[in-house]
Amino acid sequence: MYSDHDATDTTTPAVRAPLKEVRRPDRVIIRFAGDSGDGMQLIGDRFTSETASFGNDLSTLPNFPAEIRAPAGTLPGVSSFQLHFADHDILTPGDAPDVLVAMNPAALRANIADLPRGAEIIINTDDFTRRPMAKVGYHTSPLEDGSLDGYQVHPVPLTTLAVEALKEFGLSRKEAERSKNMVALGLLSWMYHRPTANTERFLRSKFARKPQIAEANIAALRAGWNFGDTTEDFAVSYEVGPATDAFPVGTYRNISGNLALSYGLIAAARQADLPLYLGSYPITPASDILHELSRHKNSGVRTFQAEDEIAGIGAALGAAFGGALGVTTTSGPGVALKSETIGLAVSLELPLLIVDIQRGGPSTGLPTKTEQADLLQAMYGRNGEAPVPVVAPRTPADCFDAAIDAVRIALAYRTPVFLLSDGYLANGSEPWRIPTPDELPDLRTPFASGPNHTLADGTDVFWPYKRDPHTLARPWAVPGTPGLEHRIGGIEKQDGTGNISYDPANHDFMVRTRQAKIDGITVPDLHVDDPDRAGTLVLGWGSTYGPITAAVRRVREEGHHIAQAHLRHLNPFPRNLGDILRRYRTVVVPEMNLGQLATLIRARYLIDARSYNQVNGMPFKAEQLATALKEAIDD
């Protein structure tokens, strides 16, 4: 069941037209597109929420400019939101939209190449005037020049419908025009039998201090619904049934990757019985985690919006020294600034979580686009030998479990841990089964409480670097505990005593011991999906899971044999990884970088892994990967 299930509560149209044909596809891909100020992300999110409440499986792909208000009517200023929903389990936001809602000429121009012939296009005709069309290179109207003849085109005056619906509210024309996105949402909600009651409640809550604005948006939403229900231009509507067989029994909600990660951190802190402290500096696409955690002060969460990246991680490391679960969030450029303090955390051997929501680089790069190019930075981006575990979630919902797993490692082994998500996971969403408390692991870690070493003369003392023989973790001593005073800092420590040491042999021992601690971390064996004893293995990590799995399904449906494995733990690797790789003639590694995991695989296991790479700021398409995998099998 869904926690916000309300599928039968829909808006009743003001006028009921004769019954229209209802078709029942098993899946649909819709893309909303317009200017970055047209509210495409908002209506995409609302359509997604209503779809989740209806019980469909779904996957989303928000895509928007880096600028807060990009140039209106231009190709760089186009914002879009793609939603794939189905009556069965799905894995990606879809390769090509079945429906495009184009709010202006720029939206049409920027997205038309992605549409297959026969796709439906809903065009806001009010914006298709000479000047907006000329701005994006349309010298003739695409509505009249035959360039859209291969598509099912629905011209709809969305802006006019919004203005007409809001006449009674006394708004200016400019204010009324802002609700055209709600008209589009209402029309699509009618077209795909989506409930709208939750959206109406959302609008009344969002604009609680401006009830007139709330009711105006609701009126525009209903106007779009009624237009679809009464006009002859839409003779067909569609109904995609709930995905009743796609999910195990439980309570579900739609969740984005950043929200799931935030909840995972809160849950991990609760299971560890520790306060959660986030030291962070806002950076796209990680800022949502800071925003979300700041709302949970009553759950023992403290957030600090620092003046820069260095201060953010410094505060988080200080919190870890003080006995809290220390976390810092950032993206690739911020990791570069945090690298010195990460090295300090390695030296101090304290639990610290570094959450890197990867984006396109280098430098400022593509702030709102996705990439997987920080893997080698997480592995080696510090001076000296400073090994750090690396964990990567595979889907938006999996960010919850990956966060708990990363905290487990940090606490048990007293080490900083990298959690590598990315923009695709952070902003995308899917259904998530809410776990019960008894399903979560016990993460409680004892603090040092007294002496742990006896000197030759019989004196009992506390040695801050005396290690657990199983994990090689040093004691976690909370400052202020009597008798547990010890030095901290980045200068090398003497094994055991923690005294400053420049002894060559001691440094060699400490470096090797820190590496051995990371190498000895317990991670599950890698699972391989290989029902046909294939000769080709596709190995992925992170957010490539959805596209790879969808591509593998296509390849197998066409009669080919291929195996699949996906890594969550990138340092250390699962212990059975080498044996698995050596079982296959060909190993293909798709990555949204230029081959970073493939480089590690080649170096560690002497396997001639075949890279398949993409660095265009967008996730892989399933058909694209399927073609590459079939070529690898044929070779």
Side-chain angles (χ1 to χ4, degrees), residues 21 37 181 187 298 367 392 422 490:
E21 179 186 354
N181 63 331
L187 173 58
N298 292 336
D422 60 42

Side-chain angles (χ1 to χ4, degrees), residues 463-481:
W463 276 13
Y465 280 83
K466 184 172 184 179
R467 301 179 183 278
D468 182 294
H470 302 292
T471 64
L472 298 182
R474 81 175 186 93
W476 193 3
V478 177
T481 306

Side-chain angles (χ1 to χ4, degrees), residues 277 279 310-327 341 344-345 348 350-352 476-479 488:
Y277 184 93
I310 299 170
I313 189 173
L317 182 57
F321 177 59
L325 175 56
V327 181
T341 306
L344 176 60
L348 299 183
L350 288 171
L352 177 68
W476 193 3
V478 177
I488 63 168

Side-chain angles (χ1 to χ4, degrees), residues 87-306:
D87 65 3
H88 56 278
D89 72 307
I90 55 174
L91 299 155
T92 74
D95 287 358
D98 301 302
V99 181
L100 171 66
V101 179
M103 302 298 286
N104 60 18
L108 179 65
R109 187 90 179 192
N111 292 280
I112 189 66
D114 293 339
L115 267 64
R117 291 289 174 171
E120 295 190 74
I121 308 176
I122 299 172
I123 290 180
N124 178 23
T125 55
D126 289 324
D127 268 29
F128 276 72
T129 55
R130 184 178 59 82
R131 185 175 179 184
M133 288 191 295
K135 186 181 290 188
V136 294
Y138 281 129
H139 302 296
T140 58
S141 173
L143 296 170
E144 301 170 354
D145 62 12
S147 60
L148 300 180
D149 285 351
Y151 306 95
Q152 302 178 58
V153 180
H154 302 284
V156 180
L158 295 173
T159 307
T160 299
L161 288 172
V163 172
E164 289 295 319
L166 305 188
K167 277 185 175 179
E168 64 183 79
F169 290 91
L171 302 174
S172 68
R173 181 177 179 85
K174 185 175 181 180
E175 290 173 324
E177 288 178 351
R178 291 175 182 165
S179 293
K180 62 186 178 184
N181 63 331
M182 287 296 148
V183 177
L185 177 59
L187 173 58
L188 268 292
S189 298
W190 169 84
M191 192 173 174
Y192 287 93
H193 296 219
R194 299 295 92 182
T196 59
N198 286 337
T199 293
E200 293 193 10
R201 284 194 287 269
F202 166 82
L203 291 169
R204 289 192 174 102
S205 174
K206 180 179 178 65
F207 298 106
R209 297 183 179 180
K210 299 179 179 179
Q212 184 187 34
I213 299 299
E215 295 307 316
N217 278 286
I218 291 170
L221 179 73
R222 292 177 176 176
W225 178 290
N226 291 329
F227 178 82
D229 199 40
T230 59
T231 182
E232 295 181 359
D233 293 337
F234 290 86
V236 178
S237 65
Y238 304 89
E239 184 173 321
V240 180
T244 53
D245 298 328
F247 308 114
V249 175
T251 300
Y252 286 80
R253 60 156 294 165
N254 185 54
I255 200 164
S256 68
N258 273 352
L259 185 57
L261 202 155
S262 300
Y263 289 172
L265 294 175
I266 295 170
R270 282 293 185 94
Q271 294 302 107
D273 196 22
L274 294 173
L276 172 61
Y277 184 93
L278 175 70
S280 181
Y281 181 75
I283 183 172
T284 302
S287 299
D288 288 341
I289 302 171
L290 171 61
H291 300 160
E292 181 60 33
L293 290 180
S294 69
R295 300 186 178 104
H296 295 275
K297 296 180 177 63
N298 292 336
S299 297
V301 179
R302 294 293 178 266
T303 55
F304 168 50
Q305 180 174 322

Side-chain angles (χ1 to χ4, degrees), residues 23-46:
R23 297 177 185 171
R24 291 177 171 81
D26 64 348
R27 50 174 286 280
V28 172
I29 303 169
I30 298 173
R31 183 181 295 177
F32 299 94
D35 274 335
S36 60
D38 282 343
M40 296 298 96
Q41 304 305 315
L42 173 62
I43 63 173
D45 179 71
R46 293 316 310 162

Side-chain angles (χ1 to χ4, degrees), residues 1 11 282 302 374 380 435 514 605:
M1 62 174 288
T11 303
R302 294 293 178 266
D374 295 353
Y380 303 118
R514 287 189 290 261
Y605 302 106

